[in-house]
Amino acid sequence: MTPDRADVQVMQTMLDTMVGIPQFSYPARQRDAAKPDGEFAHIRVLEEYQVGIPTNKIKEQDELTTTYQIISPVRLRFRIGVVNSQGLAATKIMHGWTTEVMKALMISTGYGFIRCDPISNEDRLLEKEWEYDKGFAVEMYSTRIFEETVDNITSVQVSGEFITLALESILINFDINNN
């Protein structure tokens, strides 16, 4: 599962919980999907960008390799469109991010709330997806975790040539940890 898809699924769980309606939200831009009946929301990840500096930790290490775990903080921006809005669900989406239920859900999913801003729907006639009545830009934060395995340096060979003031050449060869 791609990060975008996993992010949308987490956001679906949050919105469905927030408005109190199971299967209220759907991923946006579903090819050939039928429009759901009644009021619903569609979700799309607009952008993701790194914030701060990733942290590297050694996860495993043996004689030949070291595996690092890279933890990178990210900021995600979602677009949420509420279709056929009667108003209550949209109001809950705008104002429901700091409820105790949402705080517990954020702790369990590893996502945190930053902000929710309304989006103007002046371009409604230009929409190519399900047309929304109310729109929101929601920013969340999370972390991405990657692993990288690198080979350890087990031996070093240093070679060189040293030229003295008398222009004599001295060859230098060092082998360190060479078995």
Side-chain angles (χ1 to χ4, degrees):
M1 179 179 314
T2 65
D4 279 1
R5 188 173 193 160
D7 297 332
V8 167
Q9 286 182 342
V10 168
M11 186 60 69
Q12 280 182 265
T13 302
M14 288 182 178
L15 290 182
D16 294 354
T17 301
M18 193 180 305
V19 300
I21 302 171
Q23 297 180 346
F24 175 77
S25 58
Y26 299 89
R29 295 190 173 183
Q30 296 183 49
R31 193 172 292 238
D32 300 324
K35 182 178 176 181
D37 293 331
E39 187 175 29
F40 66 95
H42 57 86
I43 306 164
R44 182 172 64 189
V45 177
L46 293 179
E47 61 186 0
E48 171 182 331
Y49 49 97
Q50 177 182 332
V51 291
I53 298 172
T55 303
N56 291 353
K57 295 192 309 188
I58 294 176
K59 182 178 178 184
E60 291 180 11
Q61 189 170 27
D62 59 30
E63 189 176 303
L64 299 175
T65 61
T66 300
T67 301
Y68 293 97
Q69 186 176 55
I70 301 148
I71 302 168
S72 182
V74 296
R75 190 175 214 168
L76 301 160
R77 193 162 63 95
F78 294 89
R79 177 179 177 185
I80 299 171
V82 182
V83 180
N84 298 331
S85 176
Q86 304 302 312
L88 183 58
T91 299
K92 287 181 178 181
I93 291 170
M94 185 70 201
H95 301 283
W97 294 98
T98 57
T99 63
E100 294 304 316
V101 170
M102 292 307 296
K103 290 177 190 176
L105 192 54
M106 287 180 214
I107 289 169
S108 69
T109 60
Y111 288 72
F113 173 72
I114 298 172
R115 64 190 290 167
C116 178
D117 295 318
I119 297 175
S120 171
N121 64 353
E122 294 168 352
D123 65 343
R124 182 174 177 176
L125 297 176
L126 303 175
E127 278 291 314
K128 292 185 174 131
E129 7 177 316
W130 299 318
E131 294 180 5
Y132 65 91
D133 294 323
K134 300 267 185 177
F136 303 97
V138 176
E139 289 187 32
M140 304 290 283
Y141 63 85
S142 188
T143 55
R144 300 293 191 220
I145 299 174
F146 307 95
E147 289 186 4
E148 176 185 33
T149 302
V150 296
D151 294 331
N152 294 337
I153 297 173
T154 56
S155 66
V156 176
Q157 183 179 26
V158 179
S159 300
E161 185 177 355
F162 179 74
I163 308 293
T164 66
L165 292 174
L167 298 178
E168 294 176 353
S169 177
I170 300 172
L171 296 177
I172 301 171
N173 289 310
F174 292 104
D175 287 329
I176 302 171
N177 292 339
N178 194 5
N179 297 332

